[in-house]
Amino acid sequence: MRFNGILRSRHSEALDEWIDDAIDTELTAIMRFASVLRRDIDAVKNAIELPWSNGQAEGPINRFKMLKRAMYGRAGPELLRARMLPLNHRI
């Protein structure tokens, strides 16, 4: 609940204390999560404090990667291009 509060408040001052407390717990999953957060603490703090997100780009990128993997070795660039172009539907 404390971690959720830190994320929602958009203030990362309490994050270091939360990570220390989480690493001291007996819960393995929480300990691992906290130690991974500590590895790139600057990026985590920026994600909490800054308003920007790359979420809008992730959907189309993931769709493209899925299509590319599905058609790898089975089709050429023409089919990939046809699958990526939006369809013109008549209403």
Side-chain angles (χ1 to χ4, degrees):
M1 291 176 68
R2 279 177 49 206
F3 184 73
N4 190 20
I6 292 169
L7 292 179
R8 290 180 183 267
S9 71
R10 308 213 42 96
H11 299 290
S12 65
E13 295 86 22
L15 184 63
D16 291 320
E17 181 183 351
W18 182 88
I19 290 174
D20 292 337
D21 293 343
I23 290 175
D24 292 338
T25 65
E26 300 283 327
L27 303 170
T28 306
I30 299 294
M31 292 169 58
R32 286 182 186 161
F33 178 68
S35 62
V36 169
L37 288 181
R38 178 162 283 154
R39 280 189 222 154
D40 202 1
I41 193 69
D42 291 333
V44 174
K45 286 183 177 183
N46 285 337
I48 292 171
E49 295 173 356
L50 299 176
W52 301 291
S53 170
N54 68 342
Q56 296 80 8
E58 287 299 318
I61 290 171
N62 286 337
R63 179 174 176 263
F64 174 73
K65 287 180 180 180
M66 184 264 316
L67 289 171
K68 183 178 171 186
R69 285 185 197 113
M71 295 187 309
Y72 181 77
R74 294 182 219 138
E78 295 80 22
L79 180 58
L80 180 61
R81 196 173 305 114
R83 294 270 319 256
M84 290 303 296
L85 294 175
L87 297 175
N88 292 325
H89 292 289
R90 294 184 189 179
I91 298 176

